[in-house]
């Protein structure tokens, strides 16, 4: 773990801060158990960068629900659940990435997270547009 000089967050990275993209090469190693992320503008920008598609899908779904008032059936609940899963994966993708890297390579873990995020969000929009 290293503490970023720009965003002041303690992250599990060696070369570059995943939050603000600052270099961590010359920063000393911190002896902490887990990451410490602060709620500042860098984290908000990071969340926006990671979850923009899921947020857009949720906004489209909410607009469809408010404007068209579709009937509430199984397909409706499946679409809402898929949108929630997509948003959850987007918001917690760093933790999910660390959980997946014990079994998969880093490239495959990031690929799996992207697939879940984009496929579930897209399917939720398509299902609600069909109602």
């Amino acid at each position: 773990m290293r503490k970023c000089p720009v965003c002041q967050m303690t992250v599990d990275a060696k070369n570059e801060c995943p939050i603000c993209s600052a270099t961590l090469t010359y920063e000393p190693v911190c002896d902490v158990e887990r990451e410490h992320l602060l709620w500042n503008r860098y984290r908000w920008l990071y969340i926006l960068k990671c979850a923009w598609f899921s947020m857009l899908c949720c906004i489209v779904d909410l607009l469809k629900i408010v404007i068209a008032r579709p009937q509430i059936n199984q397909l409706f609940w499946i679409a809402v659940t898929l949108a929630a899963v997509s948003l959850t994966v987007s918001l917690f993708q760093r933790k999910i990435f660390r959980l997946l890297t014990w079994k998969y390579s880093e490239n495959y873990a990031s690929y799996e997270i992207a697939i879940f995020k984009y496929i579930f969000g897209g399917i939720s929009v398509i299902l609600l547009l069909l109602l």
Side-chain angles (χ1 to χ4, degrees):
M1 304 271 182
R2 294 174 191 253
K3 186 170 184 177
C4 178
V6 176
C7 63
Q8 302 301 316
M9 298 190 197
T10 305
V11 293
D12 187 16
K14 291 181 172 73
N15 299 328
E16 184 178 338
C17 178
I19 309 297
C20 67
S21 301
T23 183
L24 298 175
T25 307
Y26 303 110
E27 294 300 316
V29 176
C30 297
D31 192 25
V32 294
E33 289 182 18
R34 60 187 181 111
E35 291 186 336
H36 179 68
L37 303 178
L38 304 173
W39 287 101
N40 56 19
R41 66 181 173 145
Y42 295 106
R43 186 161 184 193
W44 288 110
L45 290 173
Y46 177 74
I47 289 172
L48 186 63
K49 180 178 76 172
C50 291
W52 69 270
F53 183 77
S54 299
M55 288 182 199
L56 182 67
C57 290
C58 289
I59 289 170
V60 169
D61 289 348
L62 282 173
L63 287 175
K64 170 68 177 178
I65 291 169
V66 168
I67 293 172
R69 300 196 190 273
Q71 61 180 351
I72 297 176
N73 55 14
Q74 274 187 326
L75 201 59
F76 174 81
W77 289 114
I78 291 171
V80 169
T81 304
L82 288 176
V85 168
S86 174
L87 188 62
T88 304
V89 169
S90 295
L91 293 176
F92 297 107
Q93 76 180 29
R94 288 190 49 80
K95 291 183 182 183
I96 295 170
F97 178 77
R98 282 195 305 270
L99 289 174
L100 288 177
T101 52
W102 74 271
K103 186 175 183 181
Y104 303 116
S105 67
E106 291 182 2
N107 290 335
Y108 186 73
S110 62
Y111 172 75
E112 281 288 318
I113 291 170
I115 289 294
F116 280 120
K117 192 167 47 171
Y118 295 125
I119 295 294
F120 286 174
I123 290 174
S124 74
V125 169
I126 291 170
L127 286 179
L128 269 180
L129 290 178
L130 291 177
L131 287 178

